[in-house]
Amino acid sequence: MRSALARIGVAAAAAALLTSCSGGDGGTKEPEGLAAAEACGGFAKEEPVGAALKAVLGGDRFDDFYSKSDEALARLREDAAAPWADSYRPQRVTYCGLRLAEGGGQNSLKIEVAAVGKGPYLGPALAPKVTSYASGLEAFSSSGLGKLYFTCRMKPPALEIVVETAVWGPEDVPETDLERRTRLITLANAAARQVSAKLGCQGDKLATGVPAARS
C-alpha cells in the first residue's frame, strides 16, 4: 500500500512539473508585443488602418518605439497659445513610434506631429515625385515618407494652427510602390484624426479610412 501511494505521489509531482513548464495551457505561448488595435492608443484599430500598419511593417505584433504622444499634444497646445515670433521654429515630436515585436529586424515606423506655418506645402519640384491625396489641407506621399496637413481650431483663447503629420516607413522601398504610398498616407491620416480628436480641433477636413488619391 505504501509503495502504491509513493508511486502516485511521484506521478502527481511529475504532472505538476510539466504543467508549470508549459504554462498550464498545453505549451501555447502568449504572443509578444501589441496588436494593431492596441498600438499608439489605438489609432489603427479600424481595419483599413490596421491592415496598412501590418503591411508596412511586415507583421502583426508591435513594440512601442519611443512614442511621446502626451508630449506631442502638449507641444501643439503650447504652439496654439500665442502668436509666434518670426524666429520661432516649432519642434517636431514623435507621436507614435513602432517596430516589429519579434524577428522583425530593423523594420520600424515613426509618426511625428508639429505646428507649421501656412502653405502651400508641396512645391512644384516635388509634386511629380509623389502621390497627392484628398484629406485635410494637403496630403502627399512617396514610398518612404508621407505628409499630411490639417487646420486645427481649438477652443478660444487658443489660436488656429496648421498641424503637419509626417510618417516615415521602413527604408529600401522602391519609389514605384504606389500601394506603399497609400498605406503611409492612411497611417498619417489615422494619426492626424486621433490628434485632432484629442485636441478638440474643429474644421480639420480629414478623410475617414483610406484617403482617395487625387488624379
Side-chain angles (χ1 to χ4, degrees):
M1 181 67 174
R2 183 176 300 172
S3 177
L5 289 173
R7 288 197 298 272
I8 293 173
V10 171
L17 179 60
L18 289 172
T19 300
S20 65
C21 290
S22 64
D25 58 3
T28 301
K29 183 181 179 182
E30 288 293 326
E32 295 184 10
L34 303 168
E38 302 169 310
C40 295
F43 87 105
K45 63 183 178 181
E46 301 297 332
E47 186 49 43
V49 186
L53 180 60
K54 295 173 188 176
V56 167
L57 287 181
D60 57 8
R61 306 291 298 190
F62 314 99
D63 284 333
D64 189 87
F65 194 41
Y66 301 112
S67 297
K68 299 179 180 178
S69 59
D70 289 343
E71 181 180 330
L73 294 172
R75 178 54 61 96
L76 291 173
R77 291 188 181 99
E78 180 181 321
D79 288 337
W84 303 349
D86 290 341
S87 60
Y88 180 65
R89 295 294 181 268
Q91 180 180 349
R92 287 168 173 77
V93 181
T94 300
Y95 180 75
C96 175
L98 295 171
R99 63 182 176 186
L100 283 182
E102 188 175 12
Q106 299 300 312
N107 280 6
S108 63
L109 176 89
K110 180 171 68 174
I111 302 175
E112 290 184 337
V113 296
V116 295
K118 293 183 179 180
Y121 308 100
L122 179 59
L126 181 60
K129 302 176 183 179
V130 298
T131 301
S132 292
Y133 297 85
S135 185
L137 289 174
E138 265 185 48
F140 51 89
S141 182
S142 67
S143 296
L145 170 64
K147 289 191 174 184
L148 184 151
Y149 300 83
F150 70 92
T151 300
C152 177
R153 292 194 302 271
M154 290 179 260
K155 292 181 179 180
L159 303 176
E160 180 177 283
I161 58 173
V162 174
V163 178
E164 177 194 76
T165 307
V167 54
W168 281 264
E171 299 179 355
D172 301 325
V173 178
E175 280 302 327
T176 54
D177 190 343
L178 301 184
E179 290 185 358
R180 173 59 64 92
R181 297 182 180 190
T182 299
R183 289 170 182 146
L184 287 181
I185 210 65
T186 297
L187 296 174
N189 185 73
R193 285 175 58 83
Q194 187 181 66
V195 168
S196 179
K198 289 185 175 182
L199 293 177
C201 301
Q202 301 295 318
D204 60 28
K205 298 183 180 179
L206 292 169
T208 58
V210 179
R214 295 186 185 276
S215 56

